[in-house]
Amino acid sequence: MDRAELSITLHRTGDEAVLRLAGEIDMLTAAQLSTVVNEVLADPPPRIVLDLGGVTFCDSQGLGTLVVLSRKASHAQSLLMLTHVGDFLIRVLDITGLRSALMIRNDQPTG
């Protein structure tokens, strides 16, 4: 069985830190995501954006981690926002009732 992998690329601007995620957020990779977000929160920007466009899988550990990180960001006077959230993950967030616990900004393509 292949080990799950998560690639995280961090780009900081004045007002936000954008983390582009690719791969799987699960019990094997959630700690890696937490570590990177916690490092960003050491000097918190107004916004932390998690770009989930490359995420192919997210299990219950990953969902829990997203909620915990959102709360940590809030305590640090920062806003954790999810973008490019895939349909599969939106459905899971709706089913679990966690969608309301997370800030999601899925920009719609313009015509």
Side-chain angles (χ1 to χ4, degrees), residues 10-19 36-49 69-80:
L10 172 62
H11 176 73
R12 270 189 185 259
T13 63
D15 285 344
E16 65 185 19
V18 178
L19 285 75
V36 175
V37 173
N38 285 329
E39 287 170 1
V40 170
L41 286 173
D43 180 18
R47 276 185 314 279
I48 299 171
V49 179
L69 292 175
S70 179
R71 290 190 182 137
K72 281 186 174 184
S74 181
H75 289 304
Q77 307 300 309
S78 186
L79 173 67
L80 184 93

Side-chain angles (χ1 to χ4, degrees), residues 63 85 89-99 102 104:
L63 292 174
V85 181
L89 189 48
I90 291 286
R91 278 195 302 273
V92 171
L93 292 171
D94 283 340
I95 290 167
T96 58
L98 292 175
R99 186 172 183 174
L102 299 166
I104 299 172

Side-chain angles (χ1 to χ4, degrees), residues 1 27 98:
M1 187 167 134
M27 61 183 287
L98 292 175

Side-chain angles (χ1 to χ4, degrees), residues 53-76:
V55 172
T56 57
F57 178 79
C58 185
D59 71 2
S60 60
Q61 181 80 31
L63 292 174
T65 298
L66 292 174
V67 173
V68 167
L69 292 175
S70 179
R71 290 190 182 137
K72 281 186 174 184
S74 181
H75 289 304

Side-chain angles (χ1 to χ4, degrees), residues 9 23 34 46 50 59-60 65 95 101 103 106:
T9 306
S34 291
L50 298 184
D59 71 2
S60 60
T65 298
I95 290 167
M103 175 72 65
N106 270 358

